[in-house]
Amino acid sequence: MTSVNPWEMARQQFFQAADLMGLEDGLREVLSTCKRELTVHFPVKMDDGSIHVFTGYRVQHNLARGPAKGGIRYASDVTLDEVRALAMWMTWKCAVVGIPFGGAKGGVVCDPKHMSPRELENLTRRYTTEISLLIGPERDIPAPDVNTNPQVMAWIMDTYSMHQGYSIPGVVTGKPVEIGGSIGRNDATSRGCLYVTQEALADRGEKLTGQRVAIQGFGNAGMYAAELFAQAGAVIVAVSDSKGGIYNPRGLDVERVIYVKATTGTVVEYRDAERIGHRDVLEVPCDILIPAAVENQITKDNADRVRARIVVEAANGPTTPEADAILWDKGIFILPDVLANAGGVTVSYFEWVQDLYSFFWDDRRVYGELEHIMRRAYHDVMNKLGTLQKQHGRRVDPRQAAQVLAIERVAQATRIRGIYP
Ligand code: NAD
């Protein structure tokens, strides 16, 4: 399977959008570069008494619109280029939804599935200490991403607070509610996907009820997407995790799949479905395809076999630029990552605001504000798409429109602030 370097992919997308909007050379250089890149190598004591040195990264892409914001990922294939790409996408994402953050991302090269809870805690606390050069509630606020969760965020919050001598919940988002987390953060990414999908369907005179949905990845983004889309009337026909996928054209019992995943560790143990490969889920007949795993999943090798009408990118960077072009030619509508999965960072923003004010919102307020921001962002992107099409006399895809919208906002913030000194 062809795999594209995510940083090259993120820059390619950026330059395409920069060309489309006629961005001046100086700002092209500024915005295509990451502002800060920290690489750390740090020892962790393992359960058997041995010491293992791990490598981690924290990259801040841009801070023009506010403090840096972005998740932390634990995986054995994390690279600096992947973290750079994810940091850049965070900058655009925060700008698309209009929240006052710049973009950052972090990652540790490790295999969390083969580490004990104590080893993961040791790794997290030491990594937090190493990147505390950069993070802080006014400077850079991490959050969960692949293979990190509210417990990991709690360890980050506690470690940072221990160093300062008092509790600083605003240093990280996605924490448990008991220690300053926000109601609604767990399913925020998927809820945001739901709102923008409903808007896209409404534009076509359609409703979600009865639409067939396939989802790749069954973690935070994928599992809650399955649950929320099913509750909203969609039929979930296929899901997958890293061990494989399951498909039933009549629909899966989502609550049952969640139970099976929780008790066996994988969705493939669910019985009332055909077992398929974890990539096959991208190719099943469906109306809506939600990639919710990792980058580089829809590539030039399989894009032609995608049978959905709408692709909703819950994952970051699941579609390569070559695949984008193929999907486009097939008339498939993509709700791009920087819009579709921005619900997570939006509720992270709410969490940070609540932490700073020590005043906590109820679920009605969280969901209401999230819905407002996501539906507004969808229409901002579509309006930008309309303007660009008129301006250039040709069709423009939603990813380019979202990127142009975001880059304009970040570029304008940079122009207003000026180049120091
Ligand atoms: P997670 O660790 O909770 O879940 C990842 C899921 O993907 C797991 O089910 C895993 O088994 C599966 N997976 C991994 N590799 C796979 C593969 N090759 N094929 C099929 N399944 C595979 O992570 P998450 O937080 O749900 O993140 C998933 C994606 O969503 C990432 O791209 C992440 O950057 C993006 N995202 C997450 C959030 C968030 O709030 N968690 C917000 C925005 C975007």
Side-chain angles (χ1 to χ4, degrees):
M1 185 55 109
T2 322
S3 158
V4 179
N5 176 315
W7 179 229
E8 278 168 23
M9 179 170 142
R11 280 169 56 95
Q12 191 177 331
Q13 293 169 346
F14 167 77
F15 287 122
Q16 272 175 5
D19 288 346
L20 199 59
M21 63 193 277
L23 186 68
E24 59 266 38
D25 284 348
L27 281 176
R28 285 167 80 103
E29 208 174 328
V30 172
L31 300 183
S32 61
T33 313
C34 289
K35 180 182 170 68
R36 291 191 182 112
E37 304 180 345
L38 176 65
T39 299
V40 293
H41 306 286
F42 55 95
V44 175
K45 199 175 269 181
M46 311 303 279
D47 288 348
D48 64 4
S50 65
I51 291 169
H52 187 79
V53 175
F54 289 87
T55 297
Y57 308 101
R58 184 73 186 170
V59 172
Q60 297 176 345
H61 168 253
N62 186 281
L63 306 177
R65 299 181 60 261
K69 189 89 191 75
I72 289 173
R73 158 174 307 198
Y74 289 172
S76 46
D77 54 0
V78 168
T79 62
L80 182 55
D81 271 354
E82 181 186 38
V83 178
R84 286 174 171 146
L86 291 161
M88 181 190 256
W89 287 326
M90 284 306 298
T91 303
W92 310 145
K93 196 180 302 182
C94 293
V96 164
V97 284
I99 58 176
F101 288 131
K105 206 79 182 191
V108 179
V109 185
C110 64
D111 184 2
K113 290 197 176 128
H114 293 107
M115 293 173 68
S116 72
R118 192 218 292 250
E119 288 170 341
L120 277 175
E121 180 173 351
N122 290 349
L123 174 134
T124 301
R125 288 186 182 278
R126 182 65 190 246
Y127 169 67
T128 304
T129 307
E130 297 289 341
I131 64 165
S132 63
L133 293 169
L134 292 186
I135 64 171
E138 288 89 22
R139 303 195 290 162
D140 181 352
I141 305 113
D145 194 72
V146 175
N147 290 326
T148 58
N149 57 24
Q151 177 61 72
V152 173
M153 299 306 114
W155 290 328
I156 293 174
M157 178 273 204
D158 185 69
T159 305
Y160 188 83
S161 299
M162 287 299 117
H163 286 280
Q164 305 298 319
Y166 61 102
S167 291
I168 307 181
V171 66
V172 70
T173 59
K175 301 178 293 295
V177 170
E178 293 83 347
I179 57 166
S182 178
I183 290 174
R185 176 61 184 87
N186 283 346
D187 65 10
T189 304
S190 319
R191 201 173 280 276
C193 287
L194 175 69
Y195 294 144
V196 292
T197 306
Q198 286 172 330
E199 290 299 312
L201 288 169
D203 274 353
R204 288 159 180 70
E206 295 179 43
K207 286 206 158 66
L208 191 56
T209 316
Q211 304 274 354
R212 296 160 307 156
V213 177
I215 303 172
Q216 184 200 37
F218 210 70
N220 177 281
M223 183 192 76
Y224 286 113
E227 194 168 42
L228 291 171
F229 277 69
Q231 281 167 8
V235 181
I236 312 301
V237 293
V239 300
S240 71
D241 58 30
S242 55
K243 301 213 174 72
I246 49 175
Y247 171 58
N248 184 338
R250 294 184 311 281
L252 306 167
D253 175 347
V254 171
E255 290 310 319
R256 184 84 201 150
V257 181
I258 291 172
Y259 175 78
V260 169
K261 170 87 180 167
T263 49
T264 68
T266 172
V267 297
V268 299
E269 295 300 328
Y270 176 87
R271 289 285 155 235
D272 188 19
E274 181 193 335
R275 267 198 202 193
I276 55 176
H278 68 68
R279 271 181 198 262
D280 298 340
V281 75
L282 302 168
E283 300 172 19
V284 302
C286 62
D287 299 294
I288 297 165
L289 172 62
I290 309 183
V294 284
E295 307 90 78
N296 263 313
Q297 296 304 299
I298 307 177
T299 70
K300 67 178 170 48
D301 302 333
N302 61 358
D304 205 33
R305 297 194 296 272
V306 170
R307 287 192 265 177
R309 296 184 296 127
I310 300 178
V311 174
V312 184
E313 294 185 333
N316 286 304
T319 315
T320 66
E322 285 160 320
D324 256 346
I326 297 170
L327 298 185
W328 180 245
D329 285 345
K330 283 165 62 97
I332 297 173
F333 182 80
I334 301 183
L335 282 164
D337 44 12
V338 294
L339 169 66
N341 70 40
V345 74
T346 301
V347 175
S348 274
Y349 166 55
F350 300 160
E351 180 174 334
W352 179 72
V353 168
Q354 292 170 75
D355 289 338
L356 295 186
Y357 277 79
S358 292
F359 178 76
F360 290 87
W361 305 358
D362 63 15
D363 52 355
R364 266 189 37 210
R365 179 157 183 197
V366 171
Y367 296 142
E369 303 261 4
L370 174 65
E371 181 166 0
H372 167 71
I373 288 180
M374 293 305 298
R375 293 193 195 275
R376 183 187 65 193
Y378 170 84
H379 289 289
D380 284 352
V381 170
M382 289 305 127
N383 289 340
K384 179 57 67 186
L385 190 142
T387 312
L388 287 167
Q389 293 193 149
K390 249 192 222 142
Q391 212 178 322
H392 294 276
R394 64 169 169 89
R395 285 165 73 214
V396 168
D397 72 62
R399 187 185 313 284
Q400 289 177 340
Q403 293 247 339
V404 168
L405 177 72
I407 295 166
E408 273 177 4
R409 288 176 175 171
V410 181
Q412 187 58 5
T414 310
R415 287 188 202 103
I416 292 168
R417 288 177 64 154
I419 301 296
Y420 177 86

